[in-house]
Amino acid sequence: MPASLIAHEGRTAIYDLLGSGDEKRIDAMLGLYQTLFPQYRHYVPRMKRRVQFGNEHREGHVVHYWLVEVDGKPAGLRTFRYVRHRHCGLAHALAVDPQFREEEAGGRRISMFVVYECLAQVIRDALDCGDAPTLGMVNEVEPTRLMEHYQRNGLIQFPVKYMEPIFPPEAPGRTRAEELDLVKFSPMHLGFLKNPDLKIESYTREMIADFASAFLVDHYGLPEDHPKVIEILNSIET
């Protein structure tokens, strides 16, 4: 079954791959991931398994793997999810092949076009699930110059000393506890693109903690009492 066409603007098209069986596009997306994220290529076996299932395979999460094409050629990728009980989206990987980075769609550079399409998708996800409106999209961002670029394009930066958990390559027989002991943490910025239909004027400590926990606890699966989770939440400044 071909992947679902999510958006089409000029020369640019976005396809949602999960559960599609569209092997050509799946291979193209995973190939881009390995090339553009060499430090995370050990995640590819997990991604290959996940892409075989539909968007709502994991209860309470609506997951998306997108391939971006320009004139039918693989140009970029985006992985993200909507976390129902947190009322927010989580932006994971975003990358555009260097030869397409100057490309524009919808009056924006292709990367920001995808960012805003991603926000629109999690807003639709909440509606489709019958949930309260999505508050917005939470983003792990590095380096600082990328955070500054995002801020010029509508994102805000939360005042928290956030760290991304980086899991080790898979190993047969390793327990979850052993895996958690091997997790490394890398400093990141935590950015947010709000739902434009909501009048959010300020962000409380509790809101920021909820957004950080959506990543750390709900996505990465760290225990709520993990020392790094506690450290990150205690670093929030409001």
Side-chain angles (χ1 to χ4, degrees):
M1 180 174 67
S4 299
L5 178 64
I6 299 299
H8 187 249
E9 184 71 35
R11 303 167 61 213
T12 301
I14 299 175
Y15 293 90
D16 200 342
L17 304 183
L18 288 188
S20 70
D22 191 333
E23 296 300 331
K24 182 178 179 180
R25 288 193 170 100
I26 290 169
D27 289 346
M29 181 263 194
L30 294 175
L32 281 172
Y33 186 92
Q34 291 187 80
T35 299
L36 300 174
F37 293 106
Q39 71 275 35
Y40 297 124
R41 65 176 55 194
H42 62 280
Y43 287 160
V44 169
R46 304 172 195 240
M47 296 172 72
K48 283 183 177 178
R49 291 195 299 272
R50 180 61 186 89
V51 79
Q52 303 305 315
F53 300 98
N55 301 91
E56 297 184 64
H57 179 67
R58 181 178 176 186
E59 185 176 359
H61 295 236
V62 184
V63 181
H64 301 276
Y65 281 19
W66 282 1
L67 175 68
V68 183
E69 294 181 352
V70 174
D71 289 338
K73 299 176 182 177
L77 66 96
R78 177 60 139 173
T79 61
F80 65 102
R81 73 186 57 221
Y82 163 58
V83 183
R84 296 187 62 183
H85 78 287
R86 304 283 187 184
H87 304 293
C88 69
L90 302 181
H92 305 310
L94 170 64
V96 176
D97 188 300
Q99 65 179 308
F100 294 104
R101 287 179 184 166
E102 300 302 315
E103 186 72 29
E104 291 194 358
R108 294 185 170 103
R109 289 281 178 86
I110 191 171
S111 59
M112 292 311 302
F113 173 72
V114 173
V115 165
Y116 276 89
E117 286 298 318
C118 191
L119 174 64
Q121 180 64 60
V122 296
I123 292 171
R124 289 194 297 271
D125 288 341
L127 288 172
D128 291 345
C129 291
D131 296 342
T134 305
L135 297 173
M137 178 70 72
V138 189
N139 298 255
E140 293 177 324
V141 183
E142 68 165 351
T144 298
R145 60 179 173 76
L146 181 57
M147 187 70 246
E148 292 170 348
H149 169 71
Y150 280 162
Q151 287 176 293
R152 292 192 295 270
N153 285 277
L155 278 76
I156 66 166
Q157 181 178 349
F158 285 136
V160 56
K161 294 178 181 177
Y162 182 80
M163 287 174 277
E164 175 200 22
I166 300 176
F167 283 76
E170 294 178 314
R174 182 189 290 150
T175 67
R176 179 62 174 173
E178 291 169 338
E179 187 173 58
L180 288 174
D181 286 341
L182 295 172
V183 172
K184 307 296 183 185
F185 290 85
S186 177
M188 287 264 190
H189 301 290
L190 200 65
F192 187 70
L193 183 62
K194 73 175 182 179
N195 183 341
D197 296 329
L198 301 182
K199 305 300 181 184
I200 304 174
E201 302 299 335
S202 62
Y203 298 88
T204 65
R205 180 185 182 87
E206 289 72 21
M207 289 175 71
I208 298 171
D210 214 38
F211 293 148
S213 295
F215 260 120
L216 298 169
V217 177
D218 301 326
H219 170 52
Y220 290 113
L222 298 180
E224 291 183 342
D225 61 354
H226 189 285
K228 283 295 183 183
V229 174
I230 295 170
E231 178 184 338
I232 291 167
L233 299 187
N234 285 342
S235 76
I236 297 170
E237 301 174 3
T238 56

